[in-house]
């Protein structure tokens, strides 16, 4: 029986189960090979388990933490059967995620005392950044919140046009300028417009060029500085969007972006098309930054708030 019942609606839970299906199948086929012919958790099983976790993109450092925790339990309980390994893994991974202050949300919300709530979105091109912004706008609007979008990724005409498509689709206002315009100027105009329109949420898209980190750092710093001329504590959240299907490459992007700017939350996309779902566990543990949202499908409602209990429950179902 699930320990974590009824946090999500039946539909949301089914979407999550389906979105993690590839990761789960891959993980369990590896796990069953790791414990084949073994009755109890011994050194061999732990070695095999380490390999399973690393090859499931959990990451080396996080894998070693999980193995240490299981070793502790083995020495404490003296005898642990391999059939219990599932439940133990589940408990230890949920425990690990709890320590990163991540995954307690159950719905799309913003702090009551921040209006407008300014969300700056960062991430390289192709990770699903603009799509994530569009889906977030849709979810916030469904909650009755007034949303304004800002197209501050002015280096690609496609980025501006794509955000416009989402603004039209979700029927929310967008502030945009021509390609090549100053991104900080767009961000300033967006925040000003949001305040004038009495918006609840302002979401700013930014360019994701990692090949020149110094330029990126300077640009993001400038964007923050001009926003603060209108709202002194903006942005309230800097959301880094990562493509879960890239596995270890997502770790590298997280490393680069956390050096370039202060990242306060993460969204991990494209988990439905990959067996690399373990990357969510590793990234949230290693960077100690809360995973706020996960993408588990193409549909507008397939962006979900990340809830550690539901995630672990679906992963180990």
């Amino acid at each position: 029986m699930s320990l974590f019942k009824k946090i999500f609606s039946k539909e949301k839970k089914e979407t999550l189960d389906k979105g993690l299906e590839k990761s789960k199948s891959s993980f369990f086929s590896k796990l069953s090979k790791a414990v084949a012919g073994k009755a109890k958790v011994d050194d061999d099983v732990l070695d095999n388990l380490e390999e399973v976790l690393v090859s499931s993109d959990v990451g080396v450092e996080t894998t070693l933490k999980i193995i240490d925790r299981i070793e502790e339990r083995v020495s404490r309980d003296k005898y642990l059967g391999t059939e219990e390994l599932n439940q133990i893994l589940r408990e230890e991974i949920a425990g690990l995620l709890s320590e990163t202050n991540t995954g307690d949300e159950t719905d799309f919300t913003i702090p009551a005392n921040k209006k407008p709530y300014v969300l700056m979105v960062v991430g390289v091109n192709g990770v699903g950044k603009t799509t994530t912004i569009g889906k977030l706008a849709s979810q916030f609007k469904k909650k009755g919140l007034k949303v304004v979008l800002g197209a501050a990724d002015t280096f690609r005409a496609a980025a501006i046009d794509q955000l416009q498509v989402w603004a039209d689709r979700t029927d929310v206002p967008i502030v945009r300028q021509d390609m090549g315009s100053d991104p900080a100027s767009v961000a300033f105009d967006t925040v000003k417009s949001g305040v004038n329109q009495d918006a609840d949420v302002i979401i700013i898209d930014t360019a994701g060029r990692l090949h020149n980190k110094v330029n990126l750092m300077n640009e993001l710093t400038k964007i923050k500085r001009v926003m603060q001329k209108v709202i002194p504590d903006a942005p309230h959240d800097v959301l880094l969007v990562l493509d879960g299907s890239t596995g270890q490459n997502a770790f590298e992007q997280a490393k680069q972006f956390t050096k370039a700017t202060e990242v306060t939350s993460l969204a991990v996309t494209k988990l439905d098309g990959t067996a690399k779902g373990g990357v969510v566990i590793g990234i949230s543990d290693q960077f100690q930054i809360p995973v706020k949202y996960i993408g588990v499908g193409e549909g507008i409602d397939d962006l979900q708030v990340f809830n550690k209990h539901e995630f672990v429950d679906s992963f180990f179902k």
Side-chain angles (χ1 to χ4, degrees):
M1 196 181 97
S2 168
L3 295 167
F4 310 130
K5 277 202 151 175
K6 293 185 181 162
I7 296 174
F8 281 4
S9 68
K10 185 168 177 274
E11 292 77 12
K12 266 170 85 175
K13 184 62 171 167
E14 281 170 0
T15 302
L16 183 60
D17 289 348
K18 193 170 163 237
L20 294 177
E21 188 58 49
K22 284 187 182 174
S23 294
K24 188 180 81 169
S25 302
S26 168
F27 182 80
F28 279 107
S29 69
K30 290 175 188 171
L31 189 62
S32 57
K33 284 177 195 156
V35 299
K38 297 280 190 179
K40 67 176 194 141
V41 178
D42 58 16
D43 287 347
D44 277 353
V45 167
L46 287 171
D47 284 347
N48 292 342
L49 177 60
E50 189 175 316
E51 210 172 292
V52 169
L53 289 166
V54 171
S55 67
S56 299
D57 286 276
V58 171
V60 175
E61 286 178 42
T62 304
T63 291
L64 293 175
K65 281 188 192 176
I66 294 167
I67 296 296
D68 283 349
R69 287 167 177 243
I70 293 171
E71 276 180 336
E72 259 176 56
R73 287 183 71 157
V74 170
S75 63
R76 191 173 68 232
D77 301 347
K78 297 305 174 215
Y79 181 91
L80 278 180
T82 48
E83 73 281 355
E84 296 165 81
L85 192 53
N86 223 358
Q87 185 58 30
I88 294 159
L89 265 171
R90 190 176 172 147
E91 287 166 12
E92 295 306 336
I93 288 170
L96 200 64
L97 289 170
S98 297
E99 289 164 20
T100 67
N101 187 25
T102 200
D104 292 317
E105 298 297 328
T106 56
D107 210 345
F108 291 87
T109 55
I110 57 166
N113 60 340
K114 303 281 183 196
K115 183 179 175 175
Y117 184 70
V118 182
L119 173 58
M120 184 166 108
V121 185
V122 300
V124 298
N125 301 330
V127 295
K129 183 162 55 88
T130 314
T131 303
T132 299
I133 292 169
K135 290 179 179 180
L136 272 176
S138 171
Q139 295 290 356
F140 286 135
K141 194 173 178 197
K142 275 186 193 167
K143 298 287 169 209
L145 299 171
K146 185 164 188 184
V147 183
V148 173
L149 301 180
D153 181 354
T154 58
F155 289 89
R156 293 183 311 131
I160 301 170
D161 292 343
Q162 197 188 352
L163 199 63
Q164 181 71 59
V165 168
W166 276 105
D168 295 342
R169 191 174 171 189
T170 52
D171 193 25
V172 300
I174 180 172
V175 174
R176 56 178 287 178
Q177 292 178 15
D178 293 335
M179 183 187 159
S181 303
D182 178 16
S185 161
V186 180
F188 179 81
D189 288 352
T190 307
V191 174
K192 222 170 168 189
S193 174
V195 169
N196 291 341
Q197 293 182 61
D198 197 29
D200 299 293
V201 187
I202 297 167
I203 309 176
I204 312 269
D205 187 15
T206 64
R209 298 156 305 135
L210 261 184
H211 58 271
N212 190 331
K213 211 163 66 230
V214 175
N215 278 0
L216 178 69
M217 200 182 294
N218 292 342
E219 188 180 293
L220 295 176
T221 303
K222 186 180 171 190
I223 289 172
K224 284 182 181 180
R225 200 169 57 241
V226 301
M227 289 197 285
Q228 285 164 0
K229 289 179 180 174
V230 187
I231 299 171
D233 59 345
H236 303 111
D237 191 5
V238 179
L239 176 72
L240 171 61
V241 181
L242 298 165
D243 177 349
S245 71
T246 62
Q248 292 308 297
N249 193 29
F251 275 90
E252 191 51 39
Q253 285 178 22
K255 200 185 289 179
Q256 297 299 328
F257 267 98
T258 49
K259 282 179 189 167
T261 191
E262 186 195 357
V263 173
T264 51
S265 65
L266 302 169
V268 184
T269 64
K270 307 185 189 182
L271 290 174
D272 53 309
T274 182
K276 299 174 186 284
V279 76
V280 175
I281 300 160
I283 282 178
S284 62
D285 169 55
Q286 266 187 258
F287 293 96
Q288 294 294 303
I289 297 169
V291 176
K292 248 190 190 174
Y293 311 109
I294 54 173
V296 289
E298 295 288 318
I300 204 160
D301 292 325
D302 293 340
L303 182 74
Q304 294 195 346
V305 294
F306 176 67
N307 183 279
K308 60 177 173 271
H309 299 304
E310 293 288 18
F311 181 85
V312 173
D313 187 56
S314 288
F315 203 86
F316 286 96
K317 217 166 196 178

